[in-house]
Amino acid sequence: MEDIILEMKNITKTFPGVKALDDVNIKVRRGEIHALVGENGAGKSTLMNVLSGIYPFGSYTGDIIYNGETCKFSNIKDSEAKGIVIIHQELALVPEMTIGENMYLGVERGKPYAIDWNETYGEADKYLKKVGLSESSHVQIKDIGVGKQQLVEIAKALAKDAKLLILDEPTSSLNEEDSRALLDLLKVLQSQGMTSIIISHKLNEISYVADQITIVRDGQTIETLDKAVDNISEERIIKGMVGREITDRFPKRSGVKIGDVSLEVKDWTVYHQTYSDRKVVDHANLYVRKGEVVGISGLMGAGRTELAMSVFGKSYGKHISGELFIDGKKVNLHNEQDAIDHKLMYVTEDRKGDGLILENPIRVNTTLANMKGISNHGVLDLDKEKQVSEEYVEKLNTKTPTIEQNVGNLSGGNQQKVLLAKSMFADPEILILDEPTRGIDVGAKYEIYTIINDLVSEGKSVIMISSEMPEVLGMSDRIYVMSEGRIAGELSREEATSEKIMEYILKEVKHDDKTLNEVKDD
């Protein structure tokens, strides 16, 4: 007989005008890693928010049975008291506080009005060791990378005596090396008796780590696959997620004429925004032609985003030097508006933090970057604003009941479409897309890829930054590889492979190590 730690039965959850969960059922075995997959908006995060008490008992129908007991959680503290801990995609850490302070924030060690700092940092160091972090718990969160911050969240969960760990897109912001380290940690914790539920769109990671996979679609349970008995492939999971087979994850691009150089960057150097003596982009040279998709690949911290943002009207960095040419003419873009006026647009990787106003409707977000386009003599034309946003909802196939829907209520994939609509309405000829499919499902990715193909078929130029190697290889006409702030190599579509890209990255890293050793010897 199976040892079931969790069963969620007939869970139904409704928001105004939308049934997010419709009679969903899931069983999780004790000590397994259970994956929950589905398209954006399928109901995965909603289901986990029900389980963790974020959506309290009474706001949904159905039963949560945990360790054989029917639970009625009123809030997240109720579920944590039972050993259920959720780690959200947006990490809940305070950058200016230490690791130890973050780990015990709200559950401070010691007596009321008298925190025992020795106990706080002593306990924190113990749990950091368990997750493989060598940093002291006295280090501030802002001084460690995103991968280590994710491990701090897991250490924080262990400190709460977690028995069931829920991870929502834990690797969405991590490079491949950090992602694999985190997945391996989950396996170590599993060997120590931990049960985990992982939500992820990265199917290769799901195949690597999960014992069972539950697929949800349109708020309903489709099926649960068991690695021990089912022949599970990524294609099999995709079919369950989207309801059809996707034989080619990257839509073909044919008949696109690649034209003249539209943007060229020469000898571009940028220093860190805060630490102005630290070089983050080092004499970079690149170009993109009309009708061309140019990929930029590299490990996290390679300088890709810093390069893109500094080119976009110097929106990042200090002591920026080098030359910028648009359509063969040298330009000096002083700010973001200058860039937009020169038909250059940057689409941020952080759609929630920097790209969209989540509490505003689609209508408002779509037109933000081009207010002139919906104005008459400086006065907003609300009818024009409505018309424009409705056109882009239709053009990009954005799933929403109305353009008055707040963007924060949309799925990740549909938020990304609104962000693209906002950028496209500014009428750019050159788009720099920074992680355009981060945190969205395979079906929504395909739609974003199709939009990119449509843009270049119109003669526009696209530079695409991506941490997903298959995406860079599948979509790019040419690829630049960045490492340590430098352009380490350039590859055509025909010669580009994941091995070649990694070879350039590692070659550049070794070069840096050699340079450092030479300096030490001197």
Side-chain angles (χ1 to χ4, degrees), residues 305-321:
T305 294
E306 291 83 355
L307 170 63
M309 290 182 68
S310 60
V311 166
F312 181 60
K314 301 179 180 175
S315 57
Y316 175 90
K318 288 187 176 178
H319 311 310
I320 298 171
S321 62

Side-chain angles (χ1 to χ4, degrees), residues 221-233:
T221 310
I222 301 303
E223 59 184 338
T224 295
L225 305 173
D226 190 329
K227 188 183 285 186
V229 295
D230 295 307
N231 182 20
I232 302 174
S233 63

Side-chain angles (χ1 to χ4, degrees), residues 32 36 58 70 103 113 118 153 189-190 196 230 298 308 321 329 363 369 397 403 410 425 457-458 501:
E32 76 171 353
L36 189 59
T70 300
M103 285 180 59
Y113 310 108
N118 287 332
E153 282 281 21
L189 294 175
Q190 180 184 26
S196 300
D230 295 307
S321 62
K329 296 178 181 178
R363 170 179 54 81
N397 193 28
I403 59 170
L410 300 177
F425 183 55
S457 71
E458 296 169 7
I501 290 173

Side-chain angles (χ1 to χ4, degrees), residues 102-125:
N102 270 277
M103 285 180 59
Y104 290 101
L105 188 60
V107 286
E108 285 78 9
R109 305 292 90 181
K111 299 176 182 178
Y113 310 108
I115 296 174
D116 186 333
W117 292 111
N118 287 332
E119 182 182 351
T120 298
Y121 288 114
E123 287 291 303
D125 283 331

